Amino acid sequence: MTDDPLFPVLLILRYMHILGAIILMGGTIFMRFALAQVVAGLDAKTKTVLHEQVRSRWSKFVMLASGLLLVSGLINLMLASQYKFDPVFGLSYNMVVGIKFLLAIPIFVFASFLAGRSATAKKFQANAVTWMNVNLALALVMVLIGGALKFVKREPKRPDNAAVSVPARSIASQTLSFERPRE
């Protein structure tokens, strides 16, 4: 598959990242385009009961997805320092990743407020459809950026064997004599 020694770690991190994105974005798509349409036609008491039941269950998935995305994203960011990347859209790879990271912050915040119980969360939930639209737009931009980043050419900053590729002649113990002088 690949000769990259980090391949198993990178694969696990990729799966974590994709799974987190599927949960967060997929759940928001379902709530925005299916659940919100059904809830709109219910009476106030039924809406309140349904909202609380969905919110209490969904909040656990928001935390799980956010955790998967944050952990895998930050570790990927640290591992990326071992590689040289070609530019992306005329920008440095690190700048594009930084933009992606900055887009992630409001996505996590909005998803948390939409699933939360605080007074601020209640204000967000009063305009849930609008905030879900904003969150989905940001998430779509992130998915598109992430898709482009996957195809950026990368090379290790140093060869795998750089630490041991010293020519034999330059090793001091082979060029210096350690024999005792004869008397």
Side-chain angles (χ1 to χ4, degrees):
M1 286 179 127
T2 179
D3 58 348
D4 189 339
L6 290 176
F7 177 73
V9 173
L10 295 172
L11 185 62
I12 291 168
L13 291 170
R14 182 152 176 80
Y15 288 156
M16 287 173 61
H17 215 70
I18 290 171
L19 183 59
I22 288 169
I23 292 169
L24 208 53
M25 192 171 180
T28 304
I29 289 170
F30 167 75
M31 287 192 296
R32 168 58 185 93
F33 296 106
L35 187 60
Q37 307 304 317
V38 172
V39 170
L42 300 175
D43 63 88
K45 183 180 179 181
T46 306
K47 279 184 188 179
T48 303
V49 170
L50 181 61
H51 176 265
E52 182 51 33
Q53 288 181 357
V54 170
R55 187 213 56 76
S56 68
R57 288 171 176 81
W58 177 238
S59 64
K60 294 170 184 68
F61 286 95
V62 169
M63 287 186 290
L64 172 66
S66 298
L68 288 171
L69 288 165
L70 277 171
V71 168
S72 61
L74 290 173
I75 293 172
N76 280 330
L77 192 57
M78 289 186 296
L79 291 174
S81 68
Q82 298 181 25
Y83 298 95
K84 292 184 287 188
F85 295 92
D86 284 352
V88 185
F89 309 124
L91 302 171
S92 77
Y93 180 88
N94 292 337
M95 183 178 287
V96 176
V97 170
I99 291 167
K100 189 175 178 229
F101 185 78
L102 289 175
L103 288 173
I105 295 168
I107 292 172
F108 295 146
V109 169
F110 298 157
S112 296
F113 283 152
L114 289 168
R117 295 184 291 192
S118 69
T120 305
K122 300 291 183 210
K123 290 177 186 175
F124 267 79
Q125 292 161 10
N127 296 312
V129 170
T130 299
W131 290 111
M132 284 189 279
N133 288 340
V134 170
N135 230 19
L136 287 173
L138 292 171
L140 178 60
V141 170
M142 282 196 59
V143 167
L144 296 174
I145 291 171
L149 289 175
K150 182 61 186 155
F151 294 101
V152 174
K153 184 179 174 208
R154 69 178 180 153
E155 294 178 14
K157 285 187 177 175
R158 61 183 173 89
D160 291 339
N161 59 357
V164 294
S165 65
V166 178
R169 286 190 286 178
S170 67
I171 298 175
S173 63
Q174 291 180 349
T175 57
L176 298 175
S177 173
F178 288 102
E179 293 180 19
R180 282 177 74 169
R182 295 186 184 176
E183 296 177 14

